[in-house]
């Protein structure tokens, strides 16, 4: 009498892994899409007023200090690079430096440098505003003043929001015991926003200071 062996008819199978997109990152990208529309509206206002008052634009743009604005622009663009270096550090889960060399800096050091550069940019804009107001170019002076301060002013507010976000991410890196993927995701999301405001400013600089 022989022995009969049996096997399971339905072998155990493991469920396939599902890679779901990060909700915070997706939400930030969707929100930035709405911000694109907001700034598109500001650009439309600027171009509309410019088309109706070409002589006013020709006279008022003479007050602009293009080399000064270019220097301020370079500072802001440089902050985008330092921000990305901070993201690289966050991705390798390195919150703080392991040495004095910039190659060994962590997210905190790079984001702190980005914050300083961004603060210099905003301070530079405030100084530019003070100079222009002293020369008679104010928000209520004419259509050019309204268009100039609305577009650059709203951008400055967005940059200020980015500076606050830098402080929150840096503070969180010090507050947590272990710097993990959640903290790295926060840093990446802030970098999305910061790159966005940098790109918007490049467009504003080209429209306001170059195509005059």
């Amino acid at each position: 009498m022989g022995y009969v062996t049996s096997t399971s008819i339905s072998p155990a199978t493991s469920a396939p892994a599902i890679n779901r997109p990060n909700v915070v990152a997706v939400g930030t990208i969707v929100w930035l899409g709405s911000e694109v529309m907001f700034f598109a509206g500001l650009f439309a206002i600027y171009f509309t007023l410019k088309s109706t008052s070409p002589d006013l634009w020709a006279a008022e743009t003479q007050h602009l200090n293009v080399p000064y604005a270019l220097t301020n622009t370079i500072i802001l663009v440089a902050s985008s690079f330092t921000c990305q270096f901070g993201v690289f550090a966050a991705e390798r889960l390195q919150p703080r430096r392991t040495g004095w060399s910039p190659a060994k800096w962590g997210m905190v050091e790079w984001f702190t440098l980005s914050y300083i550069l961004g603060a210099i940019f905003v301070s530079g804009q405030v100084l530019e505003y003070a100079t222009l107001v002293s020369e008679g170019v104010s928000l209520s002076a004419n259509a050019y003043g309204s268009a100039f301060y609305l577009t650059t002013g709203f951008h400055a507010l967005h940059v200020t929001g980015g500076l606050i976000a830098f402080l929150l991410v840096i503070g969180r890196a010090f507050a947590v015991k272990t710097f993990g993927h959640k903290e790295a995701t926060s840093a990446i999301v802030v970098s999305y926003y910061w790159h966005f405001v940098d790109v918007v400013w490049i467009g504003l600089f080209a429209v306001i200071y170059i195509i005059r």
Side-chain angles (χ1 to χ4, degrees):
M1 186 174 182
Y3 293 97
V4 178
T5 60
S6 61
T7 59
S8 175
I9 297 175
S10 56
T13 57
S14 59
I18 300 175
N19 294 322
R20 297 178 179 176
N22 185 277
V23 176
V24 177
V26 173
T28 302
I29 293 173
V30 172
W31 174 65
L32 289 179
S34 67
E35 288 292 289
V36 169
M37 300 304 296
F38 172 77
F39 278 103
L42 292 180
F43 276 103
I45 292 173
Y46 184 89
F47 281 119
T48 300
L49 292 176
K50 180 180 179 182
S51 64
T52 58
S53 308
D55 295 335
L56 175 64
W57 249 250
E60 294 297 292
T61 52
Q62 299 302 316
H63 295 282
L64 296 178
N65 189 338
V66 178
Y68 178 87
L70 177 60
T71 302
N72 217 24
T73 300
I74 293 173
I75 292 173
L76 185 64
V77 172
S79 73
S80 198
F81 286 94
T82 57
C83 176
Q84 190 58 40
F85 283 127
V87 170
F88 293 152
E91 288 176 340
R92 61 177 182 265
L93 302 181
Q94 181 190 348
R96 289 179 288 279
R97 62 180 176 83
T98 58
W100 290 105
S101 170
K104 297 181 179 180
W105 281 7
M107 184 210 71
V108 169
E109 288 74 30
W110 285 115
F111 271 22
T112 300
L113 180 56
S114 301
Y115 175 88
I116 293 172
L117 293 173
I120 292 173
F121 172 82
V122 174
S123 301
Q125 271 202 294
V126 172
L127 181 59
E128 182 183 28
Y129 286 169
T131 303
L132 290 174
V133 169
S134 68
E135 296 175 357
V137 183
S138 64
L139 179 64
S140 59
N142 47 46
Y144 175 81
S146 299
F148 175 82
Y149 288 107
L150 278 177
T151 51
T152 59
F154 273 112
H155 178 266
L157 289 176
H158 280 73
V159 174
T160 303
L163 295 178
I164 295 173
F166 276 135
L167 292 179
L168 292 176
V169 173
I170 292 171
R172 185 173 182 177
F174 283 103
V176 297
K177 294 181 179 180
T178 303
F179 188 89
H181 292 286
K182 184 181 295 186
E183 289 72 31
T185 300
S186 299
I188 294 170
V189 166
V190 170
S191 75
Y192 290 165
Y193 178 82
W194 194 252
H195 294 324
F196 168 76
V197 296
D198 281 11
V199 171
V200 169
W201 177 253
I202 292 173
L204 286 174
F205 175 76
V207 168
I208 296 175
Y209 294 91
I210 304 301
I211 311 174
R212 296 188 292 172

